[in-house]
Amino acid sequence: MELWEVAVIALAGLWAGLINTVVGSGTLVTFPVLVALGFPPVTATTSNAIGLITGSITGAVGYRKEWVGHGRRLARYGVASFLGAIAGAVLLLSLPPDAFETIVPVLVGLSVVLVAVQPLLARLLRNRERPDRTSSPVLYLLIFLVGVYGGYFTAAQGIMLVGVMGLLVADPLQRLNAFKNTLASVVNLVAGVIYAVVAPVDWAVVGIIAVSSIAGGLLGAKVGRRLPPALLRAVIIVIGIAAVVFLLVE
């Protein structure tokens, strides 16, 4: 690996760690970078997922004050995410690589749409009366399904989590964001462990992203909320669209 490639991956990991903590969808930065550098899509997905574990954990720790007093509920949600992550990772490893390469542009496109509509979703959640269904079977099912998606392809799972939880529980958005960071960490960790044992992984890439995403996660938790969300979102959308085009014409 050339030095400039290491620098590009490190910068992508830093940015992804920050974005995952503040908005979500950091994978839409790192995944296209890895594919553009010549890594196979499945290897890019597994290496990226393992590398971003550290950044997602630091982001979750940075938001710990928002979920203080709600640990038991968060632990129950974590079980649903845990089981979903296992199912998603099994899907990724069971389906042939050609199937993943066919599906991934659709998943990236869906992620870009979710990032684009996230401000509208946030306003809807803020302005409407939401039923408090903290133990609803529907909520657990949706968290599980998002975990399946996250175990298969990590991009925008955080935005999905905020969306499904915001529709069914009465927590403020900051607490939902804290829940999102923690549950995404569970999914990334579980899927990452499975990938590390049985999937094709580039450990050099994992190391670079792991170190740089730690800094990104800490930065996101400390000062990321002061950065213009519109700027972060615009960057994600542009990179995501470019990734879809690249994957379709490759």
Side-chain angles (χ1 to χ4, degrees):
M1 191 182 303
E2 300 288 339
L3 183 60
W4 69 269
E5 294 176 313
V6 173
V8 169
I9 295 172
L11 182 61
L14 174 70
W15 192 247
L18 188 154
I19 289 174
N20 273 341
T21 304
V22 180
V23 180
S25 299
T27 292
L28 287 184
V29 176
T30 45
F31 178 79
V33 166
L34 294 177
V35 173
L37 291 176
F39 294 93
V42 172
T43 302
T45 294
T46 57
S47 304
N48 172 72
I50 298 172
L52 286 178
I53 290 172
T54 52
S56 62
I57 291 174
T58 54
V61 171
Y63 268 84
R64 64 190 180 279
K65 291 182 180 179
E66 277 76 12
W67 55 258
V68 168
H70 300 271
R72 282 190 171 185
R73 178 155 61 106
L74 183 57
R76 294 196 300 269
Y77 297 161
V79 172
S81 291
F82 177 90
L83 296 175
I86 293 175
V90 169
L91 276 178
L92 177 64
L93 300 175
S94 300
L95 296 176
D98 289 347
F100 180 80
E101 293 176 16
T102 301
I103 295 169
V104 74
V106 178
L107 296 179
V108 174
L110 173 63
S111 301
V112 171
V113 171
L114 287 171
V115 172
V117 303
Q118 194 264 347
L120 175 61
L121 178 62
R123 286 196 296 272
L124 290 173
L125 297 179
R126 187 166 51 244
N127 295 333
R128 70 187 287 268
E129 291 293 328
R130 284 158 290 167
D132 188 5
R133 298 173 178 167
T134 56
S135 298
S136 166
V138 174
L139 176 61
Y140 286 108
L141 175 62
L142 292 174
I143 292 174
F144 168 80
L145 292 176
V146 174
V148 174
Y149 170 85
Y152 187 81
F153 186 67
T154 58
Q157 64 168 319
I159 291 174
M160 290 182 178
L161 283 167
V162 171
V164 300
M165 288 189 294
L167 290 172
L168 293 173
V169 299
D171 297 277
L173 281 174
Q174 283 293 353
R175 186 177 298 144
L176 293 181
N177 203 36
F179 285 1
K180 172 263 291 183
N181 286 333
T182 304
L183 296 178
S185 297
V186 171
V187 172
N188 289 345
L189 181 59
V190 172
V193 169
I194 295 173
Y195 297 158
V197 175
V198 296
V201 175
D202 190 299
W203 290 104
V205 169
V206 170
I208 296 167
I209 294 179
V211 173
S212 58
S213 67
I214 288 175
L218 292 172
L219 182 63
K222 293 290 183 182
V223 302
R225 281 176 275 186
R226 302 177 187 175
L227 297 176
L231 174 61
L232 291 173
R233 191 169 294 107
V235 171
I236 297 171
I237 292 171
V238 170
I239 293 174
I241 293 173
V244 172
V245 173
F246 178 84
L247 290 166
L248 289 175
V249 302
E250 187 183 22

